[in-house]
Amino acid sequence: MRWSRTFIPTLRDDPADAVAASHRLLVRGGFIRQLMAGSYSMLPLGMRVATKVSDIIREEMNAIGGQEFLAPVVHPAELWKKTGRWDDVEGIMVKFEDRRGADLVLALTHEEVFAHLASELNSYRELPQLWYHLQTKFRDEARPKSGLLRVREFIMKDSYSLDVGPEGLDVQFEAHRGAYDRIFARLGLDSIQVEASSGNMGGSDSVEFVVRSGAGEDRVALCDSCGYAANLERAVSAPDDVSDDPWEGPPESFPTPGVRTIAALTAMGRFTAARRQIKTLAYYVGEEFTLLVLRGDHDLEVQKLVDAVPGVVRPATAEEIVDRLGAHPGSLGAVGVDYPVIADPVLRGRSNMVTGANEDDVHLRGVDVERDVPVGRWLDMRSVREGEACRSCQSGSLSLSRVIEVGHIFKLGLKYSDALGASVLDETGRPTPIVMGSYGIGVGRSMAAVVEVSHDSKGIIWPVSVAPFAVVITLLRPDNPAVGQAGESLYRDLTDAGIEVLLDNRNERPGVKFADAELVGIPYRLTVGPRGIRAGEAELVARDGSVAETVPVDQAVARLVGLVS
């Protein structure tokens, strides 16, 4: 292709609302344009990259036995109501009615549809199956930002494994794990596998593939010794040892005028250090008003709670708290209450603790957790912290890193097949529900992740595998007949050799052309000018700085073929 005939609207300045590097550079490089918040058009360069990402995904999915489908974007509400997700994902799901008044939904994922399709299978002999598609999704994100990293409309590869039992699911799950490793390696991404929450997808095991990046919105805990890795929504750590001073007798109340926070209570004296306090939070778990108790210096990881209890979880309002307990947030405690209590295990065996008295401006000290607090369930529900000991190996410590999630694989089990009647006859002739797995990769998010980890102050540095073009031939003085002829000849020969080439034949200053090539991030630039042609030479540079040399024009094609391949 010729730059002069290609729509590549590069910009000199960053978009005003762009913070993430991928957002800035994909807009400035002419890859994407925003239509509305969280919705982007892929311009020609962006489409070339997205197509290459998609092709790599297809190749690896086909290699493990995948069969490609294309399912609709608009779904009947009936499917989502059967699985219970019509209400579970309220807030990000776009629902509407057609002209006949039928409830419809814009797809935010496709488990329901593929389980519905799987209901056409009849016998265990037809299993296993592995089905996938690349399709548009829509999630009404409350705060879309960072370009393609957090959007409302996006293209995702979803695949679904169908097996007669959990052993088959294990095989397909591991096959996807290997395929994902290969996909991200081919994209130039150094991915890390971490334990993760299944969220509203349901099922059991869940693994995220993440890439370290300061632009990431997720955080993971990594052990420096054994390699343990988990999303903070799932991560656990070994508790530190805390020695309690002796206390005789029942809890004793003491005045705390105006105290509403852990920090304010800590400031009152040694006996109220944060790790000797009990933090009490009021939540609704389903329809039940429930108290959550943690150590004062620990934070609640809400997803751990959501994953462990049935029903919808939400914090109680201040009005609901006062109505139930007679005190405002900041003065709450669980001593002697008649409501369900869920406690974090680090509180087991703790005594002489300080907590709210369910009376404003009053706290209790001398609390023995197992004696005074009616704990109905012990549940690890705290966020791990930097430097805590690894529970897995007991010898390493955990570090926290910001990451971008680029892929996620789930063992769904029977949730969707049970709800939608996807079953087969087993060896004995009895109906048995199909065991499912679900596996996703976002195409645009993967593009953005590549840019986040591979750029410099001048622009993007694409790996050859996903670059819009492998080579740009930059003509200095394209109106010079010798330069133009040499450029055209090189362009034809490289194209014939199977290399994707962009010929920059624009009547622009050399500085503009060089800046654009660096911004767009094409891996190799071959510069042809009048002086070089007279000497029979061209300048060859790699965008990543690994190559900077002068090559004879008649050897340039062979050199580039060697570099690109």
Side-chain angles (χ1 to χ4, degrees):
M1 297 183 71
R2 289 158 174 77
W3 201 310
S4 62
R5 301 286 300 276
T6 307
F7 184 58
I8 308 176
T10 58
L11 304 173
R12 297 277 76 84
D13 299 318
D14 292 336
D17 61 339
V19 177
S22 58
H23 188 188
R24 292 188 289 102
L25 295 174
L26 288 171
V27 171
R28 283 189 56 207
F31 292 84
I32 60 173
R33 284 295 182 270
Q34 181 172 305
L35 179 63
M36 60 180 177
S39 180
Y40 289 84
S41 297
M42 285 283 184
L43 306 188
L45 288 188
M47 196 62 196
R48 291 180 71 90
V49 176
T51 299
K52 290 187 175 184
V53 172
S54 298
D55 287 346
I56 288 172
I57 292 171
R58 282 191 173 94
E59 289 169 12
E60 295 297 342
M61 293 310 303
N62 292 342
I64 61 171
Q67 304 167 70
E68 187 167 6
F69 285 55
L70 185 63
V73 176
V74 177
H75 301 173
E78 175 188 3
L79 295 180
W80 290 76
K81 290 177 179 177
K82 284 182 177 179
T83 62
R85 294 208 296 175
W86 178 255
D87 297 315
D88 282 356
V89 291
E90 188 72 55
I92 61 171
M93 179 188 288
V94 174
K95 305 172 183 178
F96 60 102
E97 293 183 356
D98 65 12
R99 67 178 64 194
R100 293 179 295 276
D103 288 331
L104 303 173
V105 59
L106 284 181
L108 51 94
T109 183
H110 278 75
E111 283 71 29
E112 280 78 2
V113 171
F114 276 83
H116 172 70
L117 291 169
S119 67
E120 294 195 33
L121 296 168
N122 298 305
S123 169
Y124 75 97
R125 298 181 187 278
E126 297 175 78
L127 300 178
Q129 294 280 335
L130 174 53
W131 299 346
Y132 77 94
H133 73 158
L134 286 102
Q135 178 60 291
T136 300
K137 321 282 181 176
F138 192 93
R139 299 179 187 177
D140 195 10
E141 288 279 357
R143 294 177 300 278
K145 63 178 183 178
S146 301
L148 300 184
L149 288 176
R150 188 171 180 180
V151 292
R152 300 165 76 199
E153 182 176 338
F154 53 96
I155 295 173
M156 176 171 276
K157 186 283 301 178
D158 289 322
S159 54
Y160 301 93
S161 60
L162 311 170
D163 288 276
V164 73
E167 297 81 5
L169 172 59
D170 291 344
V171 171
Q172 298 225 54
F173 192 84
E174 293 306 315
H176 274 84
R177 192 196 296 268
Y180 275 38
D181 273 340
R182 294 188 293 275
I183 288 167
F184 297 125
R186 292 178 64 182
L187 298 182
L189 296 172
D190 184 13
S191 65
I192 304 169
Q193 298 180 30
V194 302
E195 295 179 19
S197 164
S198 295
N200 61 37
M201 293 287 286
S204 55
D205 294 355
S206 167
V207 173
E208 283 180 350
F209 291 75
V210 300
V211 176
R212 285 188 179 94
S213 170
E217 292 191 313
D218 285 341
R219 289 199 301 162
V220 299
L222 306 170
C223 177
D224 58 7
S225 180
C226 70
Y228 171 78
N231 189 295
L232 284 198
E233 295 178 343
R234 185 86 172 184
V236 296
S237 61
D240 54 340
D241 293 326
V242 180
S243 298
D244 294 321
D245 296 332
W247 177 272
E248 299 295 335
E252 176 184 286
S253 64
F254 64 101
T256 52
V259 170
R260 294 290 186 274
T261 66
I262 298 291
L265 191 57
T266 300
M268 293 190 65
R270 185 182 64 81
F271 69 94
T272 51
R275 64 182 185 169
R276 296 188 59 192
Q277 296 181 43
I278 299 174
K279 177 186 294 185
T280 306
L281 305 173
Y283 270 70
Y284 273 89
V285 175
E287 299 299 319
E288 280 196 298
F289 183 81
T290 303
L291 297 181
L292 314 176
V293 294
L294 301 97
R295 205 170 79 182
D297 57 338
H298 289 162
D299 294 323
L300 173 69
E301 188 64 49
V302 176
Q303 192 62 47
K304 288 185 177 182
L305 176 67
V306 170
D307 290 344
V309 299
V312 176
V313 171
R314 68 169 179 86
T317 65
E319 292 76 13
E320 289 169 333
I321 291 170
V322 172
D323 180 60
R324 296 279 189 152
L325 297 174
H328 291 84
S331 299
L332 307 184
V335 173
V337 297
D338 292 327
Y339 300 108
V341 176
I342 301 175
D344 191 88
V346 299
L347 293 176
R348 275 188 183 272
R350 294 296 307 277
S351 60
N352 195 9
M353 301 288 284
V354 177
T355 188
N358 289 329
E359 179 182 347
D360 288 344
D361 303 326
V362 177
H363 279 72
L364 299 175
R365 60 183 172 184
V367 174
D368 183 306
V369 174
E370 296 190 60
R371 180 194 66 191
D372 301 322
V373 178
V375 177
R377 180 176 181 182
W378 298 95
L379 175 67
D380 184 329
M381 55 184 172
R382 69 182 181 89
S383 294
V384 304
R385 300 179 299 188
E386 183 81 27
E388 290 183 331
C390 175
R391 186 189 294 183
S392 180
C393 67
Q394 299 293 323
S395 59
S397 61
L398 299 180
S399 62
L400 306 187
S401 293
R402 288 202 168 275
V403 296
I404 298 169
E405 179 191 337
V406 288
H408 206 156
I409 59 179
F410 304 85
K411 290 183 178 179
L412 298 179
L414 306 179
K415 173 177 178 176
Y416 298 91
S417 50
D418 270 344
L420 294 164
S423 64
V424 294
L425 299 180
D426 65 15
E427 293 173 312
T428 67
R430 296 177 180 176
T432 182
I434 294 171
V435 179
M436 293 182 63
S438 175
Y439 318 86
I441 294 178
V443 173
R445 176 178 281 261
S446 294
M447 287 174 56
V450 173
V451 178
E452 288 293 340
V453 302
S454 187
H455 70 273
D456 60 17
S457 60
K458 298 176 181 178
I460 302 169
I461 306 174
W462 292 112
V464 171
S465 59
V466 294
F469 297 92
V471 177
V472 56
I473 300 173
T474 302
L475 303 184
L476 309 183
R477 295 288 306 278
D479 56 339
N480 180 299
V483 171
Q485 183 178 358
E488 291 289 343
S489 177
L490 288 165
Y491 176 78
R492 286 194 304 271
D493 291 346
L494 285 166
T495 301
D496 290 345
I499 295 191
E500 295 174 311
V501 189
L502 181 62
L503 180 63
D504 191 351
N505 60 341
R506 296 174 295 164
N507 289 314
E508 291 282 1
R509 291 178 290 107
V512 171
K513 291 187 174 186
F514 293 154
D516 278 348
E518 290 170 332
L519 174 61
V520 168
I522 297 173
Y524 296 99
R525 186 183 79 226
L526 189 66
T527 303
V528 179
R531 183 180 302 174
I533 289 299
R534 287 194 296 271
E537 297 174 338
E539 180 188 75
L540 174 61
V541 297
R543 178 65 183 86
D544 64 5
S546 61
V547 176
E549 62 191 38
T550 299
V551 295
V553 172
D554 59 1
Q555 296 177 24
V557 172
R559 176 71 171 127
L560 280 164
V561 168
L563 289 169
V564 169
S565 61

